[in-house]
Amino acid sequence: MPLPTVILPGYLAAAPAYAELEQTLQAMGIPAITVPLTQRDWWVTLGGRPVTPILAHLDRTVRQALQEHGTDRVNLVGHSAGGWISRIYLGEHPYCDRTWSGQTLVQNLITLGTPHTSQEQWTRKNLNFVNDTYPGAFYSHINYVCLAGKALYGRSSWRAGEWFTYQSYRLTCGNGDCWGDGVTPVAAAHLEGALNLTFDDVLHSPRSLNRQSLAHQWYGSPQVVQRWAMYLH
């Protein structure tokens, strides 16, 4: 029986956006639950403030999954910022005077389009804490799988979509002229020591699909999930 999987939404995202991903995993026989966040839950983290409230929601959901399924481990799937927040959750060092030590409860961590680095001033403080305290695939007993999408190339252009992509890549890795999922460049989505995968034509989020060709998918699209769900064991 596969371990239960807990899905942590990305920045400012609410749980309903992950319903299809959750249902796809369940249809594959993988118990899945999304941390029940609303967009309002993220407001207290704006401006680079601590993500402690999100970690508290994550911890409650993890412990709920453990109890409901009678197991001592879960898998974590973190989308976008949810990936680096999950890395904080794994750690045994205090973050804002609280220690989570989720590494004792997690077997696999899969990050979907997570910006593991950033040049953006509002996220740099939290990400510097993560990367200085838990660099790379820090815990050897946890399997880290980091997915990047290679769908859009960043170009310095005044076209609205191209300008956003270029600026997003530049603020994340310092270079806008590169490939990524439309928000996170490939280089930033990968983590040293992890199993790093790059999927062509995969966009950052369901919202990205509304702005791009229907030929694209996102990390939670059923056909894409089938390509990475094998790492949930």
Side-chain angles (χ1 to χ4, degrees):
M1 180 78 176
L3 291 175
T5 291
V6 174
I7 302 164
L8 182 58
Y11 194 61
L12 292 178
Y18 299 83
E20 183 181 47
L21 168 55
E22 185 178 313
Q23 292 164 8
T24 299
L25 291 174
Q26 291 171 349
M28 298 172 69
I30 300 171
I33 182 173
T34 303
V35 179
L37 295 173
T38 66
Q39 192 175 67
R40 184 186 294 270
D41 290 320
W42 292 96
W43 292 357
V44 293
T45 73
L46 293 175
R49 293 182 178 88
V51 294
T52 310
I54 306 302
L55 289 162
H57 282 289
L58 173 59
D59 187 58
R60 284 194 293 270
T61 306
V62 166
R63 294 184 185 279
Q64 175 187 339
L66 293 173
Q67 183 175 16
E68 289 183 357
H69 295 279
T71 182
D72 62 353
R73 292 286 190 280
V74 300
N75 294 319
L76 285 186
V77 172
H79 173 235
S80 195
W84 60 258
I85 293 172
S86 294
R87 291 170 61 202
I88 295 178
Y89 178 69
L90 297 179
E92 77 271 23
H93 297 289
Y95 170 80
C96 297
D97 299 324
R98 173 129 186 215
T99 302
W100 302 94
S101 296
Q103 52 94 12
T104 63
L105 307 174
V106 175
Q107 181 159 303
N108 300 288
L109 170 62
I110 297 183
T111 67
L112 310 176
T114 292
H116 290 293
T117 61
S118 179
Q119 307 297 317
E120 206 276 322
Q121 62 174 335
W122 301 120
T123 57
R124 195 183 305 162
K125 182 177 180 180
N126 280 315
L127 271 171
N128 283 351
F129 170 82
V130 177
N131 291 320
D132 291 344
T133 312
Y134 313 109
F138 186 77
Y139 290 103
S140 60
H141 62 283
I142 294 176
N143 299 311
Y144 293 73
V145 181
C146 299
L147 275 60
K150 185 181 178 182
L152 298 176
Y153 192 87
R155 292 181 175 87
S156 180
S157 165
W158 287 110
R159 292 183 181 180
E162 293 181 354
W163 182 88
F164 174 84
T165 298
Y166 178 88
Q167 292 299 326
S168 182
Y169 294 172
R170 187 181 65 83
L171 286 172
T172 303
C173 70
N175 176 28
D177 295 298
C178 58
W179 282 99
D181 61 15
V183 174
T184 303
V186 171
H190 287 166
L191 194 62
E192 184 176 356
L195 174 60
N196 294 309
L197 305 173
T198 302
F199 292 165
D200 290 340
D201 298 322
V202 171
L203 291 168
H204 188 74
S205 72
R207 288 178 295 179
S208 304
L209 301 180
N210 297 328
R211 300 193 299 263
Q212 303 296 336
S213 167
L214 293 178
H216 294 296
Q217 303 173 88
W218 83 284
Y219 300 100
S221 297
Q223 289 181 319
V224 179
V225 173
Q226 291 175 9
R227 297 168 64 186
W228 57 259
M230 67 184 71
Y231 301 106
L232 298 171
H233 52 75

